[in-house]
Amino acid sequence: MTPLYILTKKEYVQMFREFKIIWLPLVFMFLGATQPVVTYYLPSILAALGGNQGITIDPSMTQQDGAQVIAATLGSQFDQLGIMIIVISMMGIIQSDKANGMLDFILTRPVKVGAYIGGKLLSNFSFIAISVMLGYFVSYVYVNFLFNNIPFLEMILAIVFYLIWVLFILCFTFMISTIFNGQGVIALISIVCLLIFKIFSGLHPIIDLLNPAGMSQHAMMVLITGSIDSHLYGNMFITLVWITLTVTFSHYWISEKKYHKN
Amino acid sequence: MKLEIKNVTKKFKSKTAVNNFSMVVEHGQCVGLIGPNGAGKSTLIKIISDILYADKGEVLLDGKKISNMKREIGYLPQYPDFFHWMTAKETLFFMGQLSGISKEKLIDEVPAILTKVGLINEQNEKVQTFSGGMKQRLGIAQTLLHKPSFIVMDEPVSALDPIGRREVLNLIQEIKHDTTILLSTHILGDAEEICERFVIMKQGKKIEDTTINKLITNNQESVVHLEIASSDLKWVELIEKLPYVKNVELIGKRAKVRLDNVQLNKNRLLRDALESNIDIVKFEVGSSDTLEEIFLKMVVSV
Amino acid sequence: MKLHYGLNDFKDIDWLAVLQIAAPFIVVGLILILIALFDLYRHRNERSNVLLWTIVILFFNTIGPILYFTIGRKGEKPNEVRN
């Protein structure tokens, strides 16, 4: 019974009590289903409503490639609403423990800061990863059903790359939650920064290399082109470095007790 | 278990909360840390329980750095607040396991300790529904759970209503036989009841370190406490001019009369009163100050 | 522009197929609504604006429950007497 195990378990019990364990995966499944269903029905809905009123849609234009649809699930559903939902559901991850004094309390016990952070990240990342994967899987099933099949390997590779970006989202929010004390401020800073990363991805190859959101871009490229971009490994390495930095900084901040409001 | 606090200093921006504070707590002692609000008690307690770092100085438990001795310390914060969604029992299991106690042992011990603090009937209720006193008692249960040899309590009773205060004070009385205790309070009466030794703090500094008996003997000066009917208050002004009367303090109907030689002169004063036909309600020889007054004098004047 | 549609206009759409695809979609939305309402009911004494949240959850499809889960549960009662 190490502290890491106890703290991880506590996080899961809390998610269970707050129903997070049900609603977050459902929301991601919903997001995952949205893109294929809307893309599929939009032309026919427009056609049915527009009738012969002059809005004509070229059938060859509307027939999208399945890979593009699932890439759009990642790029425009998960990377927008998805990021916001992850950030908002995680903004209190450290902040709430600071606010009610539990962080102080837990650290008066023989618990290492590393175990505390580890328990938080391990439980929350595994949970978010499963939610995102479920949503992605739903999207994949819909795409296979409504459009065309996507090669299994590409599908797996893409989600692996994407999860690295998700890990960054979590660690970044974690760091902001460690430093700042207001939930609104934490949510605002995290969402704005993460969306800026996302907007800047795909603009310039050098920026992309340093940008953690590049992992999302790579995930989409794997799906669309079916091949791995040469910059992927560099980007992946640098993203992992960013993740390490945010976690190290949080560790420093907590173990040096900088989180106390003076 | 011997606690040594050596030259601890802690600054918050421009304010010095604890200023070069040193003291030693011997095994089995119960020490009350007393001071007005803002004297730096809470900061000192937080440094002792390793929640804050001192800017200078160190805290040693049995000669070892406090951060390596967490298993030996039980800490009760001023406002113990636990996870709202946990029940009392779950809270103790959670904190107990973090202290390194095995689950099997906790299954035996948690009900016993909940009985001790009087929460056994609420063991499956969420902490959310608890009152301040119940949380305080749960906090004490948590502090005792891992059988620490040293317990630090920050204002354990200050925030409670009279009933809660009584419950918690009795509980501390009970546990003080087994452990070394350091508790802070700004209410002298509470400390007087539980502790033998006081450390008085003011503006981050230690201004007195003493026992209750010493404190009273040092400040003992016999005086006559007088209470007379309000119609005779003029007489008090008259006695102030008597040769053997040093001075008179008058508060309401009560007068505190300092005499040159109490043993000799108290009867002269009484005779004087009788001759003047004074309606005496009370005539008493006693020590000049209550503990409260001694404390006030120290904190205000030093 | 034609504002009134007859039944004929909808015959082009294969409703069964639509239902097959949309059903999971609707079910997920419904489950979210139910959980949100259940949680709100369970904590009805601690939350502020219970009625407002009920309306939001019921009428803003999917977004309503998400909003409730993420920001609607902050209104917990402050702690018991402190002094």
Side-chain angles (χ1 to χ4, degrees):
Chain A
M1 291 294 229
T2 62
L4 178 69
Y5 170 77
I6 298 154
L7 290 163
T8 310
K9 193 178 132 201
K10 175 242 140 197
E11 290 292 314
Y12 272 113
V13 175
Q14 185 170 11
M15 285 177 213
F16 191 78
R17 294 269 166 93
E18 291 175 349
F19 294 121
K20 202 189 235 178
I21 210 140
I22 308 176
W23 71 258
L24 197 67
L26 280 181
V27 168
F28 271 95
M29 281 155 84
F30 194 87
L31 284 180
T34 306
Q35 193 70 24
V37 170
V38 169
T39 317
Y40 184 79
Y41 282 110
L42 200 61
S44 42
I45 291 167
L46 282 179
L49 296 183
N52 35 28
Q53 301 299 309
I55 306 172
T56 46
I57 292 148
D58 184 359
S60 62
M61 242 179 70
T62 53
Q63 188 53 46
Q64 284 212 34
D65 183 32
Q68 267 169 354
V69 177
I70 197 164
T73 298
L74 295 181
S76 50
Q77 299 294 334
F78 290 5
D79 271 351
Q80 284 167 23
L81 254 171
I83 287 181
M84 290 184 205
I85 289 163
I86 292 176
V87 168
I88 291 173
S89 68
M90 293 295 150
M91 64 189 172
I93 187 166
I94 300 295
Q95 183 269 342
S96 60
D97 279 6
K98 285 192 292 184
N100 67 12
M102 276 317 273
L103 177 54
D104 284 344
F105 219 159
I106 288 171
L107 292 181
T108 59
R109 307 287 82 241
V111 173
K112 293 218 158 54
V113 176
Y116 175 77
I117 293 180
K120 288 270 181 195
L121 287 179
L122 200 67
S123 52
N124 284 294
F125 180 66
S126 57
F127 172 59
I128 292 178
I130 288 170
S131 306
V132 170
M133 283 194 286
L134 274 174
Y136 181 76
F137 184 69
V138 167
S139 194
Y140 173 75
V141 170
Y142 265 106
V143 167
N144 277 357
F145 187 58
L146 297 174
F147 299 90
N148 49 331
N149 276 5
I150 292 160
F152 187 73
L153 183 70
E154 286 167 22
M155 186 275 270
I156 295 292
L157 274 178
I159 190 65
V160 170
F161 299 156
Y162 192 78
L163 285 179
I164 296 174
W165 161 234
V166 171
L167 180 59
F168 176 80
I169 294 175
L170 175 67
C171 293
F172 187 80
T173 313
F174 187 92
M175 180 178 79
I176 300 295
S177 185
T178 308
I179 301 170
F180 294 94
N181 291 319
Q183 292 206 323
V185 181
I186 294 166
L188 192 74
I189 295 178
S190 308
I191 290 175
V192 168
C193 289
L194 290 166
L195 289 183
I196 286 176
F197 290 149
K198 174 65 192 166
I199 290 165
F200 274 94
S201 71
L203 283 186
H204 190 277
I206 301 294
I207 300 174
D208 267 6
L209 198 63
L210 299 171
N211 189 346
M215 289 314 293
S216 160
Q217 207 71 20
H218 284 297
M220 288 160 71
M221 291 315 282
V222 170
L223 288 166
I224 295 170
T225 63
S227 61
I228 291 173
D229 188 82
S230 59
H231 289 303
L232 170 81
Y233 296 106
N235 189 206
M236 192 192 286
F237 176 74
I238 288 171
T239 307
L240 290 173
V241 169
W242 282 126
I243 291 169
T244 319
L245 281 178
T246 51
V247 176
T248 314
F249 189 80
S250 310
H251 187 283
Y252 161 79
W253 200 262
I254 296 175
S255 54
E256 289 299 314
K257 326 247 187 216
K258 298 234 182 242
Y259 59 86
H260 282 284
K261 280 176 263 178
N262 287 347
Chain B
M1 227 10 88
K2 183 180 168 192
L3 178 85
E4 292 167 89
I5 302 171
K6 289 183 181 166
N7 309 82
V8 166
T9 299
K10 176 81 188 171
K11 278 187 187 130
F12 290 126
K13 288 187 183 130
S14 57
K15 192 177 174 277
T16 308
V18 179
N19 195 350
N20 204 16
F21 189 99
S22 304
M23 75 168 182
V24 176
V25 181
E26 298 291 344
H27 179 80
Q29 269 186 335
C30 174
V31 180
L33 190 62
I34 307 162
N37 289 330
K41 300 184 303 281
S42 272
T43 309
L44 183 65
I45 293 250
K46 281 183 179 164
I47 291 169
I48 294 171
S49 45
D50 203 38
I51 287 174
L52 289 173
Y53 287 145
D55 295 337
K56 270 182 228 145
E58 54 182 357
V59 182
L60 301 174
L61 194 62
D62 266 358
K64 290 183 204 110
K65 270 249 164 64
I66 206 96
S67 39
N68 303 323
M69 299 291 284
K70 287 182 182 173
R71 225 170 276 267
E72 296 301 326
I73 300 177
Y75 166 66
L76 180 69
Q78 189 165 3
Y79 304 113
D81 203 354
F82 303 96
F83 292 117
H84 290 171
W85 49 270
M86 277 192 189
T87 66
K89 200 169 150 190
E90 285 167 340
T91 304
L92 290 187
F93 267 84
F94 175 65
M95 294 307 280
Q97 284 180 318
L98 284 184
S99 302
I101 310 172
S102 72
K103 212 169 185 170
E104 294 73 32
K105 224 174 155 199
L106 282 169
I107 291 173
D108 287 344
E109 284 172 6
V110 166
I113 216 148
L114 278 169
T115 314
K116 194 171 183 181
V117 298
L119 287 174
I120 191 73
N121 294 326
E122 288 85 12
Q123 58 167 333
N124 290 323
E125 280 180 34
K126 298 237 164 74
V127 175
Q128 203 169 24
T129 63
F130 279 20
S131 69
M134 288 161 89
K135 278 187 197 165
Q136 206 85 26
R137 279 183 281 153
L138 183 61
I140 292 179
Q142 175 276 135
T143 326
L144 300 178
L145 195 58
H146 54 288
K147 302 198 170 58
S149 43
F150 180 59
I151 295 180
V152 200
M153 294 191 242
D154 193 2
E155 305 266 4
V157 293
S158 310
L160 303 180
D161 61 18
I163 301 167
R165 225 183 107 240
R166 186 54 25 224
E167 289 169 349
V168 171
L169 284 178
N170 290 346
L171 207 58
I172 298 174
Q173 285 284 12
E174 221 172 287
I175 59 179
K176 83 176 216 199
H177 304 293
D178 314 322
T179 41
T180 311
I181 297 180
L182 176 70
L183 63 88
S184 79
T185 179
H186 62 260
I187 303 164
L188 197 81
D190 297 338
E192 193 183 341
E193 195 172 318
I194 315 170
C195 303
E196 305 83 59
R197 182 179 159 199
F198 301 121
V199 172
I200 300 178
M201 251 183 119
K202 194 196 167 190
Q203 289 173 350
K205 282 188 193 140
K206 183 164 88 171
I207 58 173
E208 187 70 78
D209 185 344
T210 176
T211 63
I212 183 158
N213 294 332
K214 259 198 229 160
L215 198 63
I216 289 175
T217 6
N218 288 351
N219 289 276
Q220 197 131 43
E221 185 199 5
S222 291
V223 293
V224 173
H225 294 282
L226 255 181
E227 199 177 326
I228 53 176
S230 42
S231 53
D232 291 328
L233 281 176
K234 263 186 236 151
W235 175 72
V236 174
E237 288 163 29
L238 292 176
I239 58 168
E240 212 168 356
K241 285 165 196 142
L242 290 173
Y244 54 87
V245 174
K246 270 201 275 189
N247 72 336
V248 179
E249 263 174 66
L250 186 67
I251 308 161
K253 282 191 290 182
R254 280 180 211 133
K256 201 192 281 173
V257 186
R258 286 201 172 77
L259 300 177
D260 265 343
N261 186 339
V262 178
Q263 276 314 341
L264 258 168
N265 292 324
K266 61 181 184 197
N267 288 355
R268 282 171 77 182
L269 183 69
L270 185 58
R271 210 170 296 133
D272 193 273
L274 292 171
E275 279 163 12
S276 317
N277 229 347
I278 301 298
D279 185 359
I280 302 173
V281 180
K282 196 174 119 190
F283 189 95
E284 184 190 46
V285 180
S287 71
S288 62
D289 293 338
T290 63
L291 222 47
E292 196 90 22
E293 286 169 306
I294 298 172
F295 169 63
L296 266 176
K297 238 195 253 170
M298 278 179 166
V299 169
V300 176
S301 65
V302 177
Chain C
M1 184 155 166
K2 194 166 85 171
L3 287 174
H4 299 281
Y5 297 96
L7 271 177
N8 286 350
D9 294 312
F10 289 93
K11 273 185 183 150
D12 305 342
I13 301 172
D14 182 355
W15 286 109
L16 194 67
V18 171
L19 209 64
Q20 268 179 352
I21 291 156
F25 216 58
I26 297 164
V27 169
V28 169
L30 273 181
I31 296 175
L32 278 176
I33 291 175
L34 286 179
I35 301 170
L37 284 181
F38 178 62
D39 187 81
L40 184 65
Y41 179 74
R42 225 175 44 148
H43 299 278
R44 62 192 176 284
N45 295 327
E46 297 138 37
R47 306 255 190 273
S48 39
N49 300 324
V50 174
L51 189 67
L52 181 74
W53 277 116
T54 314
I55 294 168
V56 170
I57 292 167
L58 281 176
F59 295 104
F60 293 85
N61 189 13
T62 322
I63 297 292
I66 294 175
L67 274 178
Y68 172 72
F69 283 125
T70 49
I71 56 173
R73 301 203 282 186
K74 296 287 136 56
E76 299 204 349
K77 256 194 192 161
N79 293 323
E80 297 282 332
V81 246
R82 286 250 148 128
N83 266 311

